[in-house]
Amino acid sequence: MTNFELPTYADVEAAAARIAGAANRTPVQTSRTLNEIVGADVFIKCENFQRMGAFKFRGAFNALSKFSPQQRKAGVVAFSSGNHAQGIALSAKILGMPATIVMPHDAPAAKVAATKGYGANVVVYDRYTEDREAIGRRLAEEQGLTLIPPYDHPDVLAGQGTAAKELFEEVGALDYLFVPLGGGGLLSGTALSTRALAPQCVLYGVEPEAGNDGQQSFRSGSIVHIDTPKTIADGAQTQHLGNYTFAIIKRDVDDILTASDADLVSAMKFYASRMKMIVEPTGCLGLAGALNAKDSLKGKRVGVIISGGNIDLERFCSLAAA
């Protein structure tokens, strides 16, 4: 049992009301070619078309919307390799509050530029030798800022669950749903919506093969910490799940799958060539997982969530050309 209260689907519903008018209701796309490859009806929720290019805007805006006047005046601090950074920075700009973002020195240039473009103050660190969480906590204490972590926060994960809520509302119940997994914000929020709206749906998280801490945690029953994994999925280079996210994942998710970097490149190429979409490697985890599991999906209704599309064009071209 956890000694803290877990968010529920009611929190997802409240988040949906809070972000309405600020967040995009992103499209659900299909591909006849993909349906033929998988042998199933596949519905793709395109959070690459969310504001700032990723689902992270949902949780960030929901969390910041709940700030008191005093918290808004002091501002927010967050740590992120990119998408949470942009989500917090844009939300703070919309809501009229200052934002400080702790980002790794090797974060994708496009993500850093966008974060600065939204008006945030960026503090850089070395992701392989420094602790971003400790840096974030220190800045919060020194400057009176409110720390909003990228995934292990009830308001953040409730906001992320609104993407799956929209998917089920649009296409109805699904037999399977594949969701990218890094720190678990998207997967845990999705789990709340899935168990409320499609309780029989088999829910899979998909993480990079090189960073399968979620899979290890799921199988062992407790949170496993790993070194920062080396993978092209920069949005999933997390070292461990969160306390909130793991508790929900352990309870509500059916299994955690993995995908190799080569699988992600194949999925990127498919999205670009057949569906005319630019999707970042992390955003391809869901499709890669579904393609790897296609033999068990025949004749089923399958959902895939794309988490984001933020990738430098040069990086995208070099990976797609490989």
Side-chain angles (χ1 to χ4, degrees), residues 11-20 22-23 56-67 72 87-88 91 95 148 153-162:
D11 295 300
V12 178
E13 292 179 304
R18 216 170 273 122
I19 70 174
K56 293 280 193 179
F57 179 76
R58 296 174 180 271
F61 193 86
N62 185 51
L64 268 56
S65 294
K66 294 181 71 175
F67 275 24
R72 289 192 185 206
I88 289 288
S91 298
L95 295 167
I148 298 294
H153 190 288
D155 296 333
V156 170
L157 72 87
Q160 318 307 25
T162 60

Side-chain angles (χ1 to χ4, degrees), residues 144-313:
L145 310 175
T146 300
L147 177 64
I148 298 294
Y151 50 87
D152 200 30
H153 190 288
D155 296 333
V156 170
L157 72 87
Q160 318 307 25
T162 60
K165 177 180 182 289
E166 292 174 6
L167 173 62
F168 288 119
E169 287 171 349
E170 185 160 337
V171 305
L174 297 166
D175 298 307
Y176 292 86
L177 180 55
F178 294 82
V179 182
L181 172 60
L186 180 60
L187 181 57
S188 59
T190 295
L192 296 178
S193 293
T194 302
R195 294 300 158 237
L197 301 177
Q200 304 308 312
C201 178
V202 177
L203 178 59
Y204 291 130
V206 189
E207 64 186 345
E209 203 171 70
N212 72 330
D213 61 291
Q215 188 181 65
Q216 293 181 53
S217 302
F218 190 81
R219 305 270 161 91
S220 69
S222 58
I223 296 174
V224 172
H225 293 247
I226 62 170
D227 292 331
T228 301
K230 289 184 165 55
T231 169
I232 61 172
D234 66 274
Q237 283 183 297
T238 44
Q239 296 175 293
H240 58 86
L241 298 175
N243 292 319
Y244 286 99
T245 61
F246 178 63
I248 295 170
I249 288 168
K250 184 168 66 169
R251 183 189 69 192
D252 291 342
V253 171
D254 291 285
D255 203 1
I256 307 297
L257 313 176
T258 64
S260 68
D261 279 3
D263 293 336
L264 298 181
V265 170
S266 294
M268 278 179 63
K269 289 180 176 179
F270 181 86
Y271 279 136
S273 62
R274 304 311 297 250
M275 299 184 73
K276 315 309 171 199
M277 293 193 294
I278 290 182
V279 180
E280 64 186 281
T282 310
C284 294
L285 282 163
L287 178 58
L291 290 171
N292 286 342
K294 68 178 189 287
D295 291 345
S296 63
L297 306 178
K298 303 297 182 194
K300 302 297 185 181
R301 288 167 52 82
V302 179
V304 169
I305 295 182
I306 293 176
S307 54
N310 293 325
I311 180 171
D312 296 342
L313 201 53

